Amino acid sequence: MMSLTGSTFLYNPVIGVSRSYTQRRVRVSGPLVVASANSSSSNGKPGDRNATVLMESTLKEMRDAAPMSDADSKTTVGGGVEDVYGEDSATEEHSMTPWTVSVASGYSLLRDPHHNKGLAFSEKERDSHYLRGLLPPVVVSQDLQVKKLMNCIRNYQVPLQKYMAMMDYQEHNERLYYKLLIENVEELLPIVYTPTVGEACQKYGSILGRPQGLFISLKEKGKVLEVLKNWPEKKIQVIVVTDGERILGLGDLGCQGMGIPVGKLSLYTALGGIRPSACLPVTIDVGTNNEDLLNDEFYIGLRRRRATGQEYAELLHEFMCAVKQNYGEKVLIQFEDFANHNAFDLLAKYGATHLVFNDDIQGTASVVLAGVMAALKLVGGTLADQKFLFLGAGEAGTGIAELIELEISKQTEAPVEETRKSIFLVDTKGLIVKSRLESLQNFKKPWAHEYEPIRDFVDVVKAIKPTVLIGSSGVGRTFTKDVVETMASLNEKPVIFALSNPTSRSECTAKEAYTWSKGRAIYASGSPFDPVEYNGKIYAPGQANNAYIFPGFGLGLIISGAIRVHDDMLLAASEALAAEVTQENFDKGLIFPPFTNIRKISAHIAARVAAKAYELGLATRLPQPQDLVAYAESCMYSPNYRNYR
């Protein structure tokens, strides 16, 4: 019996199982298996494979299995703190996965997405792992498989069909899926994530195949730790969790928001090199207020109104405590698409006790700050010289504004109370001003200026005279022709970021921005837009996609063994991304680098984030590697097939 990095196959000579009658106990972190083999020869023919596999422990007994040895429990990494939970080795290759499957045929191997290679199994592998006759005779390379699958993807006309095809590949051949995504990232990123993932979440109940991730509902209250232990992988490094209340700009999608954690973690692996087995998608199902879903016979979540108050807080707290207990201090918990009030509360409540990160608040802020810093190379002047106006004062808007004020404060050594005076926010009731202070939510209050109330947005633009206009409202076409033309009349090169997702919610399109500004706008969006031709010139719009930041940011936290997230790490990530924009990119009007170099970019971001963690005393993986960029690259997951003996 041998373990093919996760699956156990009978009668493989690699670990020396005799062809004569043997009985062997294999200790793994899953159920205890006793395999018996009876054979008089060693020719590996099917007739020789008579096996009896006895499961000697239940799942519950497995969890109470023999304790680790002293050597196991005191493992340290390079002089760091005790790695009790195996956190530091979660991205390393493992000889066995938690579950052991007994097989007398390679049939099961072909259905194991972690190890299936399809037609790329070599002749030797087909003999060793009983695959003869289960595959056509041809042996092909992984590169040819990628070419074939891309041809299939391109034959689909509907983006959701492409999304479903990609999910099918992921469920059947994990390494091929990630190789496909890495090598075609610019073409496939809009498919596996925004904007297509929004539609996928809306229809998740109808298209759900094999469930991915953990669904933790109010039914599991009091048993969350037990639910976490149901997940087969035990060495988790990154968890992306949502409660589905604010999915992109689409609102409350309840349990069907699972598409977001699944998509984010695919990018953690493809763009940041985090091993798939170290990633865990989670949806917290506390109900939904979406009447359409509650009345949908195919809805997969709890059919009840969304829980609030103490009931909600208790489930989330149990989850946070269970994660720390089960996976340790250094597991990164990324909050995703929570409603504003919960997003800010969770970040404030757990930021001091857990390694937490909110991509909607902090990730968006970091990538937008990087875009603004890069845009200044085209506009001229410093960050402190700019005047910022935001349409949208939710998680994204206030998060970006806060990071900008921190960067200006860092550059000028002025207090944030002073740097804040050049930043203005508009919400659904107009410009945020002091006279509205009593009715404002707490996270908006710092942005209330002594100013006359103004309701109409174009009038706000005329009054404030911003140099940088940022949209995070979630409402499409709010940067009207009047707004863009006003920005162009005030600035030689107006900076306009229309960040709302999906594409239908973008404040303006790339074509509108370039046309209405007569080709002078420096434009970026949240969702991708095709290049625009205006007056015989081609303009390439930038995409302020969080995928530039969070994969490298997470990698930096992991390689340093960071135990907390600090604002200075976000600033370091922004500076690293802005530094990756080359003169060639600027010549094309780009303020973000192309995604074709994203893994290299992620490694540089990771190095800067890790360096800041060491500087702040928040790193536990000691000693600090001398070359953090090279170290980050060496830690990245490779999707290339492994050779099985």
Side-chain angles (χ1 to χ4, degrees):
M1 177 180 273
M2 67 85 68
S3 173
L4 191 62
T5 318
S7 297
T8 305
F9 293 85
L10 298 178
Y11 308 113
N12 191 292
V14 173
I15 65 168
V17 176
S18 171
R19 290 297 178 174
S20 61
Y21 182 85
T22 62
Q23 188 174 50
R24 178 182 177 88
R25 289 178 183 270
V26 183
R27 182 176 183 270
V28 294
S29 54
L32 185 63
V33 175
V34 178
S36 300
N38 191 358
S39 174
S40 59
S41 65
S42 57
N43 58 16
K45 293 180 180 178
D48 298 318
R49 289 178 282 146
N50 299 315
T52 302
V53 180
L54 303 177
M55 305 305 295
E56 292 193 343
S57 64
T58 64
L59 290 177
K60 186 170 181 60
E61 290 169 339
M62 178 273 293
R63 290 170 182 158
D64 300 326
M68 294 183 295
S69 68
D70 290 343
D72 291 336
S73 64
K74 294 181 180 178
T75 300
T76 61
V77 179
V81 297
E82 289 188 7
D83 185 27
V84 177
Y85 296 90
E87 299 154 304
D88 290 322
S89 60
T91 56
E92 299 171 3
E93 296 282 1
H94 302 297
S95 59
M96 293 185 179
T97 52
W99 303 110
T100 300
V101 181
S102 62
V103 278
S105 167
Y107 187 83
S108 296
L109 175 57
L110 295 178
R111 280 147 185 80
D112 181 349
H114 306 300
H115 308 107
N116 179 30
K117 294 162 62 173
L119 294 178
F121 280 111
S122 67
E123 299 285 359
K124 184 177 179 181
E125 289 169 335
R126 296 181 188 206
D127 287 330
S128 299
H129 302 296
Y130 309 105
L131 294 167
R132 287 291 178 189
L134 301 181
L135 291 167
V138 68
V139 176
V140 303
S141 67
Q142 191 178 18
D143 289 336
L144 186 61
Q145 287 180 312
V146 168
K147 182 179 180 180
K148 175 183 177 181
L149 293 187
M150 277 309 300
N151 284 339
C152 292
I153 288 287
R154 288 166 181 154
N155 282 333
Y156 290 113
Q157 300 301 313
V158 179
L160 186 61
Q161 291 177 328
K162 296 182 179 184
Y163 174 91
M164 294 172 65
M166 288 294 292
M167 294 305 100
D168 187 60
Y169 300 155
Q170 187 179 22
E171 291 176 7
H172 287 86
N173 188 330
E174 184 177 84
R175 288 183 182 267
L176 183 57
Y177 167 81
Y178 283 112
K179 189 173 180 67
L180 186 73
L181 181 53
I182 290 168
E183 294 185 357
N184 301 275
V185 63
E186 289 190 311
E187 184 173 350
L188 294 179
L189 186 60
I191 301 300
V192 300
Y193 204 62
T194 56
T196 309
V197 73
E199 183 182 0
C201 287
Q202 289 175 311
K203 300 175 181 177
Y204 208 74
S206 299
I207 68 174
L208 178 66
R210 181 185 300 172
Q212 296 172 295
L214 281 178
F215 295 85
I216 299 175
S217 74
L218 289 167
K219 290 182 178 181
E220 284 72 57
K221 191 175 180 182
K223 300 182 288 186
V224 173
L225 180 59
E226 184 178 339
V227 173
L228 290 178
K229 290 182 177 180
N230 286 340
W231 188 250
E233 304 293 348
K234 304 307 176 188
K235 295 181 179 180
I236 299 299
Q237 287 283 20
V238 183
I239 293 173
V240 176
V241 58
T242 186
D243 70 352
E245 189 170 3
R246 193 200 61 81
I247 298 299
L248 302 175
L250 302 172
D252 187 350
L253 297 184
C255 189
Q256 298 190 167
M258 178 59 93
I260 297 296
V262 170
K264 286 280 185 180
L265 287 168
S266 289
L267 300 186
Y268 261 113
T269 296
L271 312 187
I274 310 299
R275 182 166 298 283
S277 61
C279 298
L280 174 58
V282 176
T283 289
I284 305 289
D285 186 0
V286 295
T288 179
N289 294 334
N290 186 323
E291 292 294 341
D292 290 338
L293 292 179
L294 291 173
N295 296 321
D296 183 355
E297 64 177 320
F298 298 121
Y299 179 55
I300 59 175
L302 292 179
R303 294 182 184 275
R304 55 156 287 173
R305 307 292 294 179
R306 184 170 285 275
T308 58
Q310 185 176 351
E311 185 180 19
Y312 178 90
E314 286 177 351
L315 182 62
L316 266 293
H317 187 67
E318 183 184 352
F319 168 74
M320 296 299 291
C321 293
V323 164
K324 197 169 184 178
Q325 181 179 346
N326 203 46
Y327 301 122
E329 182 86 3
K330 292 175 283 184
V331 62
L332 173 60
I333 304 170
Q334 177 171 314
F335 298 121
E336 195 69 35
D337 286 352
F338 285 77
N340 288 344
H341 54 286
N342 289 325
F344 288 105
D345 288 348
L346 290 170
L347 200 56
K349 182 175 181 179
Y350 296 105
T353 59
H354 292 67
L355 184 66
V356 294
F357 171 72
N358 187 304
D359 191 44
D360 303 304
I361 299 173
Q362 297 165 299
T364 301
S366 189
V367 74
V368 172
L369 175 58
V372 172
M373 294 167 71
L376 294 181
K377 300 283 184 66
L378 299 172
V379 174
T382 66
L383 203 61
D385 295 331
Q386 310 308 311
K387 187 175 285 188
F388 299 87
L389 177 60
F390 289 79
L391 178 60
E395 295 173 53
T398 55
I400 299 165
E402 183 175 340
L403 204 62
I404 289 174
E405 74 171 7
L406 289 174
E407 180 66 21
I408 297 174
S409 178
K410 176 184 173 183
Q411 292 180 8
T412 63
E413 299 184 351
V416 292
E417 292 79 12
E418 187 66 27
T419 62
R420 193 175 292 155
K421 293 179 180 179
S422 62
I423 303 172
F424 297 81
L425 277 69
V426 172
D427 63 8
T428 56
K429 294 180 174 60
L431 184 64
I432 295 178
V433 294
K434 287 283 188 182
S435 60
R436 295 178 51 199
L437 200 59
E438 290 186 5
S439 64
L440 291 174
Q441 294 167 285
N442 287 333
F443 60 86
K444 295 181 182 181
K445 289 181 178 179
W447 309 103
H449 296 292
E450 288 288 359
Y451 219 93
E452 289 297 319
I454 308 175
R455 186 66 183 253
D456 190 69
F457 185 62
V458 71
D459 291 335
V460 176
V461 175
K462 292 175 181 177
I464 300 300
K465 296 180 172 57
T467 58
V468 180
L469 182 63
I470 298 174
S472 59
S473 63
V475 181
R477 305 303 183 266
T478 43
F479 288 175
T480 62
K481 183 178 181 181
D482 284 346
V483 169
V484 174
E485 287 181 344
T486 300
M487 281 293 294
S489 70
L490 296 169
N491 304 279
E492 178 61 30
K493 293 183 178 179
V495 178
I496 300 175
F497 285 7
L499 302 177
S500 294
N501 286 313
T503 310
S504 61
R505 303 298 177 97
S506 182
E507 284 77 11
C508 70
T509 67
K511 183 176 182 180
E512 289 167 344
Y514 292 124
T515 302
W516 295 337
S517 68
K518 295 183 170 54
R520 291 190 282 118
I522 297 172
Y523 176 85
S525 60
S527 290
F529 284 102
D530 293 330
V532 174
E533 182 178 354
Y534 177 77
N535 277 355
K537 183 178 179 180
I538 301 296
Y539 294 85
Q543 186 185 359
N545 194 318
N546 293 17
Y548 277 115
I549 290 291
F550 71 81
F553 189 82
L555 179 62
L557 297 175
I558 290 172
I559 65 174
S560 63
I563 57 173
R564 298 291 180 270
V565 171
H566 192 281
D567 286 339
D568 285 354
M569 297 176 183
L570 297 169
L571 297 178
S574 297
E575 293 162 3
L577 176 56
E580 291 295 314
V581 186
T582 66
Q583 187 58 50
E584 181 182 355
N585 301 146
F586 286 129
D587 292 342
K588 296 178 181 178
L590 292 172
I591 54 175
F592 291 100
F595 264 107
T596 49
N597 300 325
I598 187 60
R599 281 173 67 103
K600 175 186 172 186
I601 294 166
S602 292
H604 281 83
I605 291 173
R608 292 284 288 273
V609 170
K612 186 59 67 173
Y614 284 107
E615 179 186 327
L616 296 169
L618 296 173
T620 62
R621 178 169 277 195
L622 304 172
Q624 177 179 343
Q626 291 185 344
D627 187 341
L628 280 168
V629 174
Y631 182 61
E633 290 175 337
S634 72
C635 291
M636 284 184 162
Y637 165 81
S638 170
N640 294 329
Y641 289 145
R642 300 166 61 193
N643 293 322
Y644 302 136
R645 291 177 295 176

